Amino acid sequence: AALLEAEDRMKFDAWLRKRDDNKSMPKVREGETIYEYFVNSTTGEWEKWKPPQWTYPEGEKLDFSNLLVPTMDSTRAQYIIKTIHGQKGPVLVVGAEGTAKTSTQLIFLAE
């Protein structure tokens, strides 16, 4: 599974839609792509990825540099990692600097 950069996601979405003869892909708003959606395995319906509700930590001393706030990208990545890990498969996370690889892994390990 590849997350790709935003421009490449748009290209891939357009490529898929050209080949979607059954019109089974989700209807998306302008600026959205297939990457914002997944098929719910229970209902078989397309749903939008939604990060879990995040609760601001309590306490007087808060270390902002260590806060892990889930995003749509990290939620997608978590799903893929959990699925592969659940099948006892190895997971390699790659990407440029600043793409939340370490944060994503820390969120996974914290659960």
Side-chain angles (χ1 to χ4, degrees):
L3 294 179
L4 306 175
E5 296 297 328
E7 184 179 323
D8 295 320
R9 291 180 190 186
M10 297 296 270
K11 289 177 187 175
F12 185 65
D13 184 85
W15 184 87
L16 280 176
R17 289 183 189 283
K18 280 184 189 175
R19 288 153 181 80
D20 184 24
D21 297 331
N22 297 327
K23 304 293 180 214
S24 58
M25 289 181 62
K27 301 211 182 331
V28 299
R29 296 181 185 157
E30 188 173 336
E32 289 184 339
T33 66
I34 188 81
Y35 282 85
E36 279 77 42
Y37 295 84
F38 69 99
V39 176
N40 181 312
S41 60
T42 304
T43 65
E45 298 293 322
W46 286 100
E47 292 183 17
K48 196 167 184 178
W49 286 107
K50 220 179 339 177
Q53 184 67 34
W54 184 73
T55 306
Y56 194 85
E58 294 183 21
E60 288 185 29
K61 292 191 177 206
L62 188 58
D63 184 3
F64 288 100
S65 64
N66 285 318
L67 290 180
L68 299 173
V69 181
T71 65
M72 187 181 292
D73 285 337
S74 69
T75 301
R76 275 193 299 258
Q78 287 296 316
Y79 175 79
I80 293 167
I81 292 166
K82 285 178 186 176
T83 300
I84 295 171
H85 181 264
Q87 298 169 356
K88 307 231 183 287
V91 178
L92 175 64
V93 180
V94 296
E97 303 86 15
T99 55
K101 298 176 301 292
T102 301
S103 298
T104 300
Q105 295 306 310
L106 289 172
I107 292 171
F108 172 75
L109 293 171
E111 293 179 358

